[in-house]
Amino acid sequence: RTGLLAAKYDVLIPDELGYSLPLENVNSDAQIGGEFALSYANKIGELRYSISGNVSYSRSKFLHSYKPKFGNSLDQYFNSTEERWSGIFWGYEVTGQFKSQEQINN
């Protein structure tokens, strides 16, 4: 999709006016994925039955934002959403905590 709403920050309006600039169509993103469906139908005597299932997969990717600002290249590397999949987690993921010395040793 193109033309997602966002505010432009490079045009300054004094706060004393009491309003801000309207949102404009400046950002874009993409949804990428697919779907698979399988169905089976049969008849046994007077009984008709069908079984079906489907699987779908979708990912969101942010493509472009209006003039992103970063303090330095490391800030840009960690905090930029440009051309990246959405829902990325930076850091360690944990599944719990140690309850005993034996767990720590293992």
Side-chain angles (χ1 to χ4, degrees):
R1 303 179 302 172
T2 58
L4 299 177
L5 291 175
K8 288 187 174 180
Y9 59 83
D10 55 348
V11 178
L12 300 176
I13 293 183
D15 289 336
E16 292 80 18
L17 291 177
Y19 65 89
S20 60
L21 291 174
L23 300 178
E24 297 184 38
N25 302 333
V26 294
N27 292 347
S28 63
D29 71 352
Q31 292 288 330
I32 301 165
E35 182 175 6
F36 175 76
L38 184 63
S39 180
Y40 175 77
N42 198 1
K43 179 181 177 185
I44 301 175
E46 294 295 315
L47 177 66
R48 293 176 187 235
Y49 66 93
S50 65
I51 299 172
S52 63
N54 68 335
V55 175
S56 62
Y57 178 75
S58 178
R59 291 197 69 186
S60 177
K61 189 176 193 178
F62 195 79
L63 299 177
H64 174 74
S65 62
Y66 179 76
K67 295 185 181 177
K69 295 188 287 186
F70 303 105
N72 55 42
S73 61
L74 186 63
D75 180 32
Q76 181 177 0
Y77 178 76
F78 282 113
N79 298 317
S80 175
T81 58
E82 304 276 320
E83 295 292 330
R84 289 193 180 168
W85 298 110
S86 299
I88 294 174
F89 177 76
W90 289 93
Y92 294 112
E93 293 185 31
V94 297
T95 57
Q97 61 183 356
F98 294 118
K99 301 283 186 185
S100 67
Q101 184 64 41
E102 181 182 345
Q103 287 180 339
I104 295 171
N105 295 339
N106 290 332

